[in-house]
Each structure stands twice: as structure tokens, then as C-alpha cells.
Amino acid sequence: MQIKTLKNTSIDSILDSFNDSFSDYILPFKMNKEQLKAKIEIENIDLDISVGAFDNGKLVGFILHGFRRINGRNLVYNGGTGVLPEKRGNNLTIRMYNFILPFFHKLKIHSLQLEVISNNLYAINAYKKVGFSYLRACLKIFIF
């Protein structure tokens, strides 16, 4: 398993992984290429600071990160985390964050936020293991 940024990963590969990862999700959904491109643009997703897990060259897990500078502070937002169903249970989310967090420290990121559906206990536990803390009950937002 190789963990690296999504810098040189094709939109098609990200789309395939995204759709496969969310095919059995609590609220299943599927995007087309134009919708993914719009998400990337609207949420300021930066593939240089987004991360993926690759198994024999195939993207099997990802974390999409958006970047904004607001009031002089560098902020990162998790715009989506997914792992293919057959690759779950391998701590890929934790491994991807362990890979990317040193980059965030070098970039002087002040805040890393994400939202989680409150009954997605596997995700919540993974984010807590990475070091996120719980902020609001209504959205399950975590701050790094």
C-alpha cells in the first residue's frame, strides 16, 4: 500500500474511488465527472494537500482537502474521505492522516475541520485516533 498526495492522480481515478467508496454508505450517492469537478472548485479542493492510498496503482482510499486563508489564518477542510468497502479495516484513514499531517504543520495550518454523520462510529473513532476533537453535537465537527 502506498500513501501519497493526489497531485498527479486523474479526476477519473478519484471519481471511481469516490463512487465505489460511497456505494454502500449510510446515504449512498454517486457523482459524475462534472459534479466532482464542481465540488473540487467550489470547496477549493487542493490535490497537492489531498491524500490517497494506492494498492498496486489503484486508488483505494482518499481524503479530499480544501484550503482557504481567512483573516490571516490557514484553514483546511476535509471535503470527503472514502475507502473502498473491501479495503476497510486497514486503518487507511489513520495512515493517510499520519502521512499528510506533517505537511500541514509545515504549511502552518491553524485549523483542520471535518463533518461526520453522527452514527458513523467507525469514522468518528478513526478521526479521534488521529487527534481530532469533538466541537459541536449537531454537525460532529472536529478541530485538529
Side-chain angles (χ1 to χ4, degrees), residues 28 55 61-62 72 114 121 130 139 141:
D55 189 9
F62 63 87
L114 61 91
L121 299 179
V130 171
L139 294 176
I141 295 178

Side-chain angles (χ1 to χ4, degrees), residues 61-80:
F62 63 87
I63 306 172
L64 300 176
H65 287 121
F67 176 84
R68 289 196 176 129
R69 185 160 176 81
I70 300 174
N71 297 327
R73 295 176 53 91
N74 295 329
L75 309 173
V76 170
Y77 171 76
N78 177 323

Side-chain angles (χ1 to χ4, degrees), residues 18-137:
F18 191 99
N19 286 333
D20 289 346
S21 295
F22 287 98
S23 64
D24 67 343
Y25 193 57
I26 296 164
L27 302 169
F29 61 94
K30 185 174 185 174
M31 280 200 276
N32 63 38
K33 192 172 185 176
E34 290 72 34
Q35 290 169 320
L36 179 58
K37 285 181 177 180
K39 176 181 178 60
I40 288 170
E41 183 177 335
I42 291 166
E43 296 180 12
N44 294 323
I45 301 294
D46 184 344
L47 298 181
D48 288 349
I49 60 169
S50 297
V51 62
F54 295 82
D55 189 9
N56 293 319
K58 179 181 179 181
L59 182 62
V60 298
F62 63 87
I63 306 172
L64 300 176
H65 287 121
F67 176 84
R68 289 196 176 129
R69 185 160 176 81
I70 300 174
N71 297 327
R73 295 176 53 91
N74 295 329
L75 309 173
V76 170
Y77 171 76
N78 177 323
T81 298
V83 175
L84 272 60
E86 65 271 17
K87 296 298 181 180
R88 293 180 191 148
N90 293 304
N91 295 315
L92 291 182
T93 299
I94 295 167
R95 291 168 61 188
M96 288 186 285
Y97 265 119
N98 286 339
F99 171 84
I100 202 67
L101 286 176
F103 290 97
F104 290 165
H105 290 295
K106 286 180 186 175
L107 294 173
K108 298 186 172 133
I109 301 300
H110 296 98
S111 176
L112 172 53
Q113 299 181 355
L114 61 91
E115 298 178 21
V116 168
I117 293 176
S118 60
N119 60 351
N120 190 346
L121 299 179
Y122 291 110
I124 291 168
N125 288 332
Y127 293 129
K128 284 182 178 179
K129 286 179 185 175
V130 171
F132 284 88
S133 59
Y134 178 77
L135 184 63
R136 284 189 291 228

